[in-house]
Amino acid sequence: MVIGCFQFPQTFFFEAKVTADAPVIVLWQWEANTGAVSGTGTLAFETAGTRSIYQSYQVDEANDYWMKLNIFTPNPLSKQVNFRVECSQ
């Protein structure tokens, strides 16, 4: 993403789709390469299906970033997205 250098801070919004094949409680946490970590959240599935988890993240300068969703239970899994923010005068 290229934005004007005067447009910082910039907020990004993330959506992760989580699918369960049976009733389950999913424990999750967002993590960013800047050291930001969300609280641990829960997502309760009463039946099989797909649900979304959302997170916003603010960046203050041009740089390379990543945002990762860590699933702790029932099956540990991590998925990461990388993105670059550049600025133009």
Side-chain angles (χ1 to χ4, degrees):
M1 168 181 262
V2 179
I3 62 172
C5 294
F6 59 88
Q7 292 180 295
F8 289 101
Q10 192 71 217
T11 301
F12 291 84
F13 298 92
F14 297 88
E15 175 186 17
K17 293 189 183 274
V18 179
T19 300
D21 58 5
V24 68
I25 295 177
V26 176
L27 287 165
W28 56 268
Q29 183 177 62
W30 288 97
E31 176 184 0
N33 66 311
T34 58
V37 178
S38 73
T40 302
T42 59
L43 189 60
F45 287 85
E46 293 182 16
T47 61
T50 300
R51 309 235 347 246
S52 293
I53 301 172
Y54 300 95
Q55 180 69 25
S56 63
Y57 180 65
Q58 181 177 300
V59 300
D60 297 323
E61 63 185 0
N63 208 339
D64 291 322
Y65 296 94
W66 56 257
M67 180 66 84
K68 183 189 311 183
L69 177 64
N70 297 305
I71 303 291
F72 299 119
T73 62
N75 301 313
L77 176 69
S78 292
K79 291 290 181 174
Q80 177 176 309
V81 62
N82 301 308
F83 61 103
R84 174 182 292 245
V85 179
E86 298 177 6
C87 74
S88 62
Q89 299 297 333

